[in-house]
Amino acid sequence: MAAHRSGPLKQQNKAHKGGRHRGRGSGQRDGKGRLAVKTLSKKVRKELSRVDQRHRASQLRKQKKEAVLAEKRQLGSKDGPPHHVLVVPLHNRISLPEAFRLLQDSDTGTVHLSEWGSTSSFMLLCPRLKHRWFFTSAKPGDLHTVLDVAKVADTILFLLDSVEGWDSTGDYCLSCLFAQGLPTYTLAVQGVSGLPPKKQIDARKKLSKAVEKRFPDDKLLLLDTQQEAGMLLRQLANQKQRHLAFRDRRAYLFAHAADFVPSEENNLVGTLKVSGYVRGQTLNVNSLLHIIGHGDFQMKQIDAPMDPFPLNPRVIKSQKDQGMAMEICATDAVVDMEEDLKVLMKADPDRQESLQSEVIPDPMEGEQTWPTEEELSEANDLLKESSKIVKKVPKGTSSYQAEWILDEDGQSGGEGDEYDDTEYEDFMEEESQDESSEKEEEEECETMTIGESVHDDLYDEKVDEEAEEKMLEKYKQERLEEMFPDEVDTPRDVAARIRFQKYRGLKSFRTSPWDPKENLPQDYARIFQFQNFTNTRKRIFKEIEEKEVEGAEVGWYVTLHVSEVPVSVVEYFKQGAPLIAFSLLPYEQKMSVLNMVVSRHPGNTEPVKAKEELIFHCGFRRFRASPLFSQHTAADKHKFQRFLMADVALVATVYAPITFPPASVLLFKQNSNGMHSLIATGHLLSVDPDRMVIKRVVLSGHPFKILTKMAVVRYMFFSREDVLWFKPVELRTKWGRRGHIKEPLGTHGHMKCSFDGKLKSQDTVLMNLYKRVFPKWTYDPYVPEPVPWVKSEISSAVPEVNME
């Protein structure tokens, strides 16, 4: 019996090293000061001892604690801006005047009332607590007011009902606020003291259980007596402030007063004087100002009038009675404002930001100058070299005849190069509209319903049949897109090589090259693009943190002179709407391509098609645009999505002014009744015109005859020329086979194809074609006011059904 001998590939294990264990000290002694390559290549960092490390950690903790305390002490103090509190009642049973009456206690401090239209607000000065508050209110049905004031409020005070907490309108308002980003908030319950004493504890327990879905770890405070109102004010003053990133890097201002001075040439445009407290960052007069809902403007100057609501007002002794003292209230401060007025800054035309938002395209920019003689001679030499082409021609063919013979892949004579995908869709829509109008003309006879119920007639009166038909068609299209993604029927009235002339085939969607600067639309000549957006953003944010800016400091009461403002802004403010202004960072007034990651809101199930007009709330901006939807991937090409799908994060692409992330994004759709429905939420991803959105079209055919790896496929094309045109494009099947077209058969679009395996008779042959798509330029900064979300109006939007 032969013994087993190991071969040359036998595994060789390391021999065990005997002896005692070597410690770190012996290794350092044997190394004689030699260091590893990694240690030498890294920067030499000073190693601290354990005591020094603890000392440094305690110093950092102390600095952070002091920064938090300084921020808390400045807010609402005599040197900082008043503590802005937005009061939002989340149920229609809550009495807002009663809550304001409890907070306006004369024992707590001095109260200054101010009312503009429907918006009531008041300033509460409390020298005992060394704090001053500015309370404003907004009804949850008034969506624009709630979202706009929440962007600048320091704290939101939610008033809950003692039984239900919030109703449907309040729940919708909370969904929008959570998506936008909540600042510091407090929960207060109204109406608990009105219950019997034995039921109060049970009511609070039930309410806590109902509220913990939205607010899991928050404490409920009561607001029924003066004592509870005082405890609520202390809680508001001592709360740790939560930060919203998009407003911390910009200066912003909530208008307490506004005045309009019309210009001499036009009464509809003039100078707007806005007074309020500066918050966020230092406000520079040379930067641009964005008034929410109205656009971007330039400032002329910044004035510094006397603060109308000082925490410790000046006291004037009366000559008759030395014991009596008179405090200067807000009205006296306004009278003396002109005396104490001083100009802080005036705009410098050389350093002021421009309002130019678009590039004016020059049609002659791409033209070349007349070439020199050397360039002409080089071009002739290249032409001679390139003109020598080797062709296969029949024997006896002259050189003149050979020039007229086309290659196998020569271009076919198809007209109509400008025929586009959208034109075809418009043509099909017009045809369907014409057919429906003809049917309506034919059916001119009257119909009468006999024996129908009166309730059915009332129900039918509220139903919009045209809107119902459109919605049904959109549901069908969305369902077809889910079942057969990107599949289209090859048209029979138009040649496929003309219908899909702007499409191309790709070997691999992920790895095949595609130049992002190729065949750009005319609108791309109007936008701005960064060479490196990420580096520009980092540089601007670093300058905000480190560079000292001249201007109005945080907490100062100032008056801004804003030039070229339409008179509608002041009328809007006098009707009761809030006037809020944000300063813009560099380049934020310029137009570019914005990409936003959005997810479908679970409360809305209506189909949303790409290129539909939607309302965007992006950071501090509000505008209308028609977005493209695409997949959110890390590749260089992103597949176009025809619908906003549920449970999938997609990227919405629009033309809009540049905004530096982070910024929250809310997408609304305006219904036929004027209300705005929240359809998606997300955040701003990037500002990148080079992000390629690729539309895919899938042509399908059916195997007619199958012989091992060969098959005859029909119904993909309907002419021999189309088969030859698309011959280089690779084929695939739904069951994973790959192949290509060998040759056309006959003149009706049948073609012989070969595959990498045997086809099944029930398989489907597919061809993928791709085209880059761009968003439509539909940006509109004006957004109409939505109809308030009231419970009765919500129910009236859908006809009521009697279940009896």
Side-chain angles (χ1 to χ4, degrees):
M1 183 175 175
H4 172 71
R5 294 182 182 178
S6 59
L9 300 177
K10 182 189 175 185
Q11 179 178 342
Q12 297 289 335
N13 295 327
K14 257 183 170 181
H16 174 67
K17 290 185 179 179
R20 64 186 182 86
H21 172 69
R22 296 182 64 195
R24 189 175 62 176
S26 62
Q28 289 176 353
R29 283 193 298 273
D30 295 342
K32 304 290 185 184
R34 290 191 293 268
L35 296 174
V37 180
K38 288 183 180 179
T39 310
L40 289 171
S41 61
K42 289 182 180 179
K43 292 182 180 179
V44 179
R45 289 182 294 180
K46 187 178 180 182
E47 293 186 3
L48 299 175
S49 64
R50 194 166 292 179
V51 177
D52 292 337
Q53 288 177 5
R54 288 175 184 165
H55 183 59
R56 184 177 63 177
S58 66
Q59 282 183 326
L60 291 174
R61 279 197 305 271
K62 190 176 179 181
Q63 288 174 2
K64 288 180 181 179
K65 192 175 180 181
E66 287 176 353
V68 171
L69 287 173
E71 180 188 8
K72 192 184 293 185
R73 287 169 185 152
Q74 187 185 18
L75 183 64
S77 65
K78 62 176 183 178
D79 298 324
H83 191 148
H84 189 174
V85 181
L86 170 64
V87 183
V88 181
L90 295 178
H91 203 283
N92 57 2
R93 285 202 296 260
I94 292 171
S95 174
L96 190 62
E98 177 64 20
F100 273 17
R101 186 189 64 79
L102 293 172
L103 293 171
Q104 294 170 4
D105 185 16
S106 58
D107 296 336
T108 308
T110 310
V111 178
H112 300 289
L113 298 174
S114 57
E115 290 192 8
W116 299 291
S118 60
T119 304
S120 59
S121 59
F122 66 92
M123 186 77 70
L124 177 62
L125 308 178
C126 183
R128 182 166 54 86
L129 294 176
K130 298 180 180 178
H131 211 82
R132 53 180 177 171
W133 289 273
F134 177 59
F135 286 90
T136 56
S137 63
K139 296 179 181 178
D142 192 358
L143 195 62
H144 279 187
T145 302
V146 172
L147 292 177
D148 291 347
V149 180
K151 290 170 185 172
V152 296
D154 299 310
T155 304
I156 299 181
L157 176 60
F158 292 116
L159 298 181
L160 309 178
D161 183 58
S162 58
V163 180
E164 297 181 5
W166 52 74
D167 54 11
S168 59
T169 310
D171 187 61
Y172 178 73
C173 176
L174 284 175
S175 299
C176 298
L177 286 172
F178 271 93
Q180 179 179 268
L182 273 179
T184 309
Y185 61 89
T186 301
L187 306 176
V189 186
Q190 196 179 58
V192 176
S193 61
L195 299 173
K198 292 182 179 180
K199 293 185 178 180
Q200 289 184 7
I201 298 174
D202 293 339
R204 291 183 67 176
K205 284 182 180 179
K206 288 180 182 178
L207 186 60
S208 300
K209 197 170 183 180
V211 165
E212 69 180 3
K213 180 185 174 183
R214 290 274 191 186
F215 308 98
D217 300 320
D218 294 302
K219 186 180 177 183
L220 295 175
L221 299 175
L222 301 179
L223 185 58
D224 290 320
T225 62
Q226 296 286 357
Q227 186 180 1
E228 291 168 351
M231 291 175 63
L232 179 61
L233 288 175
R234 287 190 184 87
Q235 170 71 11
L236 294 174
N238 296 325
Q239 258 185 327
K240 184 181 178 182
Q241 293 298 308
R242 297 174 66 180
H243 295 275
L244 295 179
F246 74 89
R247 76 180 186 186
D248 285 345
R249 295 188 175 96
R250 299 170 178 88
Y252 57 96
L253 178 141
F254 183 89
H256 289 263
D259 189 19
F260 183 77
V261 180
S263 62
E264 297 177 357
E265 299 132 0
N266 189 358
N267 291 331
L268 299 177
V269 179
T271 302
L272 178 67
K273 296 181 180 180
V274 186
S275 299
Y277 293 91
V278 179
R279 301 168 186 268
Q281 295 287 333
T282 304
L283 180 60
N284 191 347
V285 72
N286 293 318
S287 61
L288 296 179
L289 203 69
H290 176 80
I291 299 177
I292 293 181
H294 300 285
D296 304 335
F297 303 96
Q298 287 181 329
M299 289 182 283
K300 287 182 179 178
Q301 69 181 46
I302 300 177
D303 297 339
M306 190 180 69
D307 191 344
F309 309 108
L311 184 61
N312 298 312
R314 291 180 301 183
V315 177
I316 301 175
K317 296 281 185 178
S318 177
Q319 293 180 357
K320 296 181 180 179
D321 189 359
Q322 297 293 331
M324 294 179 62
M326 181 178 62
E327 293 185 354
I328 296 179
C329 62
T331 54
D332 299 329
V334 173
V335 173
D336 297 339
M337 193 177 290
E338 297 297 329
E339 301 174 5
D340 297 340
L341 189 68
K342 66 175 182 178
V343 178
L344 276 181
M345 285 184 75
K346 284 193 175 182
D348 184 1
D350 298 332
R351 299 172 59 188
Q352 195 169 28
E353 288 278 351
S354 170
L355 279 172
Q356 182 187 2
S357 61
E358 300 176 20
V359 179
I360 301 172
D362 185 6
M364 302 298 291
E365 189 177 0
E367 295 294 324
Q368 296 179 351
T369 55
W370 188 257
T372 60
E373 293 182 2
E374 294 177 0
E375 291 174 343
L376 286 172
S377 61
E378 287 178 7
N380 287 331
D381 295 339
L382 289 171
L383 190 61
K384 287 176 183 177
E385 292 177 5
S386 62
S387 63
K388 296 175 182 178
I389 301 171
V390 179
K391 292 183 179 180
K392 288 183 180 180
V393 296
K395 290 182 180 180
T397 307
S398 65
S399 59
Y400 176 76
Q401 290 172 331
E403 289 181 1
W404 288 92
I405 297 175
L406 291 176
D407 288 337
E408 218 175 87
D409 56 348
Q411 66 178 24
S412 179
E415 294 182 359
D417 290 343
E418 298 300 320
Y419 194 92
D420 196 7
D421 208 12
T422 54
E423 292 178 10
Y424 178 76
E425 291 174 2
D426 295 341
F427 173 72
M428 295 300 291
E429 287 176 4
E430 288 174 6
E431 261 194 342
S432 63
Q433 288 173 3
D434 293 341
E435 288 175 5
S436 63
S437 63
E438 287 174 8
K439 288 178 182 177
E440 288 174 3
E441 288 175 4
E442 290 174 4
E443 298 173 2
E444 290 182 351
C445 56
E446 295 181 357
T447 59
M448 184 177 291
T449 56
I450 301 173
E452 292 290 334
S453 171
V454 180
H455 294 289
D456 293 340
D457 295 339
L458 292 173
Y459 184 88
D460 290 341
E461 284 178 6
K462 294 181 181 179
V463 174
D464 188 354
E465 292 184 7
E466 188 178 352
E468 287 282 315
E469 287 294 326
K470 287 182 180 178
M471 187 59 65
L472 177 62
E473 188 63 30
K474 286 176 74 173
Y475 272 113
K476 285 181 180 178
Q477 291 178 4
E478 187 182 33
R479 181 65 178 158
L480 281 172
E481 181 66 21
E482 288 179 4
M483 295 172 64
F484 308 103
D486 302 325
E487 286 193 33
V488 297
D489 294 329
T490 308
R492 305 195 66 172
D493 54 344
V494 182
R497 63 185 182 277
I498 297 174
R499 168 67 179 83
F500 303 111
Q501 63 182 347
K502 292 192 175 182
Y503 289 82
R504 68 181 73 176
L506 294 177
K507 179 72 175 174
S508 170
F509 181 78
R510 186 178 63 86
T511 60
S512 296
W514 196 311
D515 186 7
K517 304 295 183 185
E518 174 188 349
N519 292 334
L520 297 177
Q522 191 67 29
D523 289 333
Y524 263 54
R526 301 164 60 185
I527 64 172
F528 291 82
Q529 182 179 5
F530 294 99
Q531 191 171 3
N532 191 323
F533 175 73
T534 306
N535 288 353
T536 306
R537 174 176 168 271
K538 287 180 180 177
R539 177 180 58 81
I540 290 174
F541 286 177
K542 191 175 181 181
E543 288 178 358
I544 293 171
E545 294 175 0
E546 298 177 356
K547 193 176 178 181
E548 292 185 2
V549 182
E550 295 181 0
E553 297 290 338
V554 176
W556 290 5
Y557 186 84
V558 296
T559 300
L560 310 179
H561 294 249
V562 190
S563 56
E564 300 297 325
V565 179
V567 70
S568 59
V569 179
V570 182
E571 294 173 354
Y572 185 73
F573 175 69
K574 288 180 178 178
Q575 290 172 4
L579 188 63
I580 297 166
F582 273 84
S583 69
L584 297 182
L585 299 179
Y587 317 116
E588 283 196 328
Q589 78 277 18
K590 303 184 185 300
M591 295 290 290
S592 189
V593 178
L594 268 63
N595 303 304
M596 313 166 188
V597 180
V598 295
S599 299
R600 191 69 186 265
H601 188 258
N604 189 287
T605 56
E606 290 185 7
V608 180
K609 205 172 181 181
K611 299 182 182 178
E612 275 190 41
E613 187 181 76
L614 300 176
I615 296 166
F616 286 76
H617 287 244
C618 180
F620 54 87
R621 289 188 185 274
R622 190 167 66 225
F623 57 87
R624 291 186 292 174
S626 303
L628 291 179
F629 299 125
S630 59
Q631 291 180 349
H632 182 34
T633 59
D636 61 336
K637 295 182 286 295
H638 311 273
K639 194 172 83 68
F640 170 75
Q641 294 288 332
R642 289 172 171 80
F643 288 89
L644 180 60
M645 310 300 289
D647 302 325
V648 179
L650 298 179
V651 176
T653 303
V654 292
Y655 291 113
I658 293 168
T659 303
F660 290 102
S664 59
V665 174
L666 282 77
L667 269 65
F668 292 89
K669 185 178 179 182
Q670 186 165 358
N671 301 330
S672 57
N673 56 5
M675 291 193 294
H676 292 182
S677 299
L678 180 66
I679 61 169
T681 60
H683 64 275
L684 181 61
L685 177 65
S686 64
V687 180
D688 185 13
D690 285 344
R691 187 181 186 274
M692 292 186 290
V693 180
I694 308 298
K695 183 178 182 179
R696 183 180 73 171
V697 163
V698 180
L699 305 181
S700 59
H702 302 277
F704 178 45
K705 295 178 182 178
I706 300 173
L707 180 63
T708 60
K709 294 185 179 181
M710 302 291 291
V712 177
V713 180
R714 60 179 177 178
Y715 302 147
M716 184 176 286
F717 303 108
F718 299 99
S719 68
R720 182 184 183 89
E721 291 79 9
D722 288 342
V723 176
L724 291 171
W725 181 267
F726 291 102
K727 186 179 177 182
V729 183
E730 188 183 27
L731 301 174
R732 69 178 180 90
T733 71
K734 286 192 175 180
W735 286 26
R737 297 295 179 197
R738 291 187 174 272
H740 60 277
I741 302 172
K742 294 288 287 183
E743 58 183 356
L745 299 174
T747 60
H748 294 285
H750 291 206
M751 55 190 183
K752 186 191 291 184
C753 307
S754 65
F755 294 91
D756 57 356
K758 188 175 180 179
L759 244 62
K760 303 287 184 182
S761 59
Q762 63 268 35
D763 205 349
T764 305
V765 181
L766 305 173
M767 177 184 285
N768 294 341
L769 299 175
Y770 301 94
K771 179 186 78 167
R772 185 177 178 186
V773 289
F774 301 90
K776 290 182 179 179
W777 192 291
T778 57
Y779 171 78
D780 185 4
Y782 173 71
V783 177
E785 284 294 316
V787 174
W789 274 83
V790 184
K791 196 169 184 181
S792 60
E793 294 188 14
I794 295 172
S795 58
S796 66
V798 181
E800 294 181 0
V801 180
N802 189 6
M803 302 302 292
E804 294 180 359

